[in-house]
Amino acid sequence: MNATITASELASDLAGPNPPVLLDVRWQLGGPDLRSAYEEAHIPGAVFVDLDSELAGPAGAAGRHPLPDPEVFGAAMRAAGVSGNRDVVVYDGGQGWAAARAWWLLGHSGHPSVRVLDGGFAAWTGPVSSEVPAPVPGTFAPEPGARPSLDADAAAALARSGLLLDARAGERYRGEVEPIDRVGGHIPGAVSAPTSENVTEDGRFLPAPELADRFTSLGATPAAEVGVYCGSGVSGAHQVLALAVAGIPAALYVGSWSEWSQDESRPVAVGPDPQ
């Protein structure tokens, strides 16, 4: 199954005999949750999911958005109507990061059929609703490990033996600015690959061949093992999704720079070069 779905395809699926479970994951980095925006208008039938409390555990030594406790995550998904035998579509406001986090986490937890609405809520041209649904509880039981992930040691090793992509903006990779974490720079050996370069101005993904060309030029050869990190495991999930669209499997370092940079024993590289 494709990792993404267009707005017209979603409209068709929602009108069909087996509509997908629809999750609204609108979110903004460092700001209040967007539940109010959801309550004002959302795709009919969508259930709001909060990234910070339901798609991540408490911030700490493992980073700002570590993996959630499987029981907490599973309970949130069941409350939203998610079952393992029913398709799921997730969307956010249009940037795609939060939706990709939900896509990655559900897939990592064993759900076989999850897609992201390409372009998010901004791409939806169908009817909207302010009615908050009360879905029939689902039966989804997370079994983590279905998608590959990296810890700090594995990310450091992959930066040397394969291809580790840094999904943050180039100035953060180079260490010129660091608005959030203790120190700027990147994991030694990682290659700069800003997530923003995977999409068009309206937030939709570039065509798969163009994405494949981009990642191949960065070193994603058929023989290379590929991993991704970002600031805290959110935009990195979007990069993993872009790689999936391009047909390239990749692991996610969930703790990302927010975990790495907390440990003063970890080396930090600065400047435009990976080393």
Side-chain angles (χ1 to χ4, degrees), residues 183-201:
V183 64
H186 58 269
I187 297 173
V191 174
S192 180
T195 296
S196 60
E197 296 179 17
N198 295 327
V199 296
T200 61
E201 289 184 359

Side-chain angles (χ1 to χ4, degrees), residues 27-28 30-35 50 52:
W27 172 81
Q28 55 186 344
D33 74 52
L34 296 179
R35 186 180 298 272
D50 180 60
D52 288 317

Side-chain angles (χ1 to χ4, degrees), residues 6 30 81 93 96 109 116 155 157 159 166-167 200 228 265:
T6 66
S109 301
V116 169
D166 185 318
T200 61
V228 177
S265 71

Side-chain angles (χ1 to χ4, degrees), residues 148-165:
S149 60
L150 304 168
D151 61 16
D153 289 339
L158 183 58
R160 300 301 184 186
S161 65
L163 177 65
L164 182 65
L165 298 175

Side-chain angles (χ1 to χ4, degrees), residues 91-250:
Y91 70 88
D92 58 23
Q95 188 177 36
W97 292 7
R101 171 72 177 217
W103 167 84
W104 186 89
L105 186 54
L106 277 163
H108 176 71
S109 301
H111 199 290
S113 179
V114 186
R115 289 172 290 174
V116 169
L117 174 59
D118 197 14
F121 187 64
W124 179 253
T125 58
V128 298
S129 174
S130 61
E131 180 181 352
V132 176
V136 175
T139 60
F140 180 64
E143 296 183 7
R147 281 202 172 110
S149 60
L150 304 168
D151 61 16
D153 289 339
L158 183 58
R160 300 301 184 186
S161 65
L163 177 65
L164 182 65
L165 298 175
D166 185 318
R168 299 172 301 159
E171 58 268 26
R172 291 185 69 191
Y173 171 88
R174 296 187 295 271
E176 296 167 357
V177 299
E178 181 44 64
I180 304 172
D181 293 309
R182 182 184 67 84
V183 64
H186 58 269
I187 297 173
V191 174
S192 180
T195 296
S196 60
E197 296 179 17
N198 295 327
V199 296
T200 61
E201 289 184 359
D202 62 4
R204 290 178 172 87
F205 282 108
L206 297 172
E210 292 184 30
L211 288 172
D213 287 345
R214 182 194 184 212
F215 291 124
T216 297
S217 71
L218 293 170
T221 65
E225 183 180 355
V226 180
V228 177
Y229 76 97
C230 59
S232 65
V234 178
S235 66
H238 190 267
Q239 186 98 289
V240 174
L241 176 57
L243 284 153
V245 171
I248 301 169

